[in-house]
Amino acid sequence: MARVPVAEGVFTWSDDPQLIGSRCSACGIVTFPVQDSCPRCGSTDMAERLLPRRGRLWAWTTQEFPPPSPPYAGPTGDAFVPFGVGYVELAGEVKVETRLTEANALRIGMDMELVLVPFRTDDGGNEVVTFAFRPVG
Ligand SMILES: [Zn+2]
């Protein structure tokens, strides 16, 4: 069974994955995911930027039921397992909306790190992998 990313251009494909964002060369704002133009100043001079693997939990909640589909393409019905969702602030420069590996035992400000986790199995039998953040330590 092969492992495949849920989408291209979202994270690097390695043992130490990083999210792929973009940085505005004009005003310095960092975005995730990559954007073609700056949401603050409108510049189109955006450069790809690999984001730090660690950050701090900024806000979170628990997803107790499957989100609307589409865009959600994960397990539904009895196969659905509640998961945490939240924002992780990376290096004080960008907040990333993300799945969390925990649905409990979370607290604001705790250290989090990026991991790749199984998401679903596609029609070809491949394991589709997405990104999440987990508590450090
Ligand atoms: Zn800008």
Side-chain angles (χ1 to χ4, degrees):
M1 184 170 70
R3 297 172 81 225
V4 297
V6 67
E8 295 293 337
V10 177
F11 47 80
T12 60
W13 192 242
S14 75
D15 291 337
D16 295 310
Q18 286 178 270
L19 295 178
I20 302 169
S22 56
R23 181 180 184 278
C24 175
S25 301
C27 76
I29 198 173
V30 176
T31 72
F32 176 81
V34 170
Q35 295 191 22
D36 292 331
S37 63
C38 177
R40 184 158 71 187
C41 75
S43 170
T44 55
D45 189 7
M46 303 292 285
E48 184 176 289
R49 183 180 183 86
L50 296 181
L51 303 180
R53 300 194 59 237
R54 289 193 174 193
R56 289 180 183 278
L57 188 59
W58 187 74
W60 64 279
T61 188
T62 304
Q63 183 72 41
E64 301 280 0
F65 51 87
S69 178
Y72 179 73
T76 58
D78 292 342
F80 178 79
V81 177
F83 57 89
V85 292
Y87 287 90
V88 174
E89 184 171 48
L90 302 176
E93 64 180 14
V94 60
K95 293 185 184 75
V96 172
E97 185 178 6
T98 181
R99 171 185 284 252
L100 305 170
T101 59
E102 299 276 331
N104 301 293
L106 296 167
R107 56 182 168 74
I108 300 299
M110 71 193 306
D111 291 327
M112 307 291 286
E113 70 178 353
L114 183 71
V115 291
L116 300 183
V117 296
F119 180 51
R120 64 187 177 92
T121 302
D122 70 14
D123 294 339
N126 301 305
E127 182 181 70
V128 179
V129 175
T130 190
F131 71 91
F133 277 81
R134 72 178 172 202
V136 175

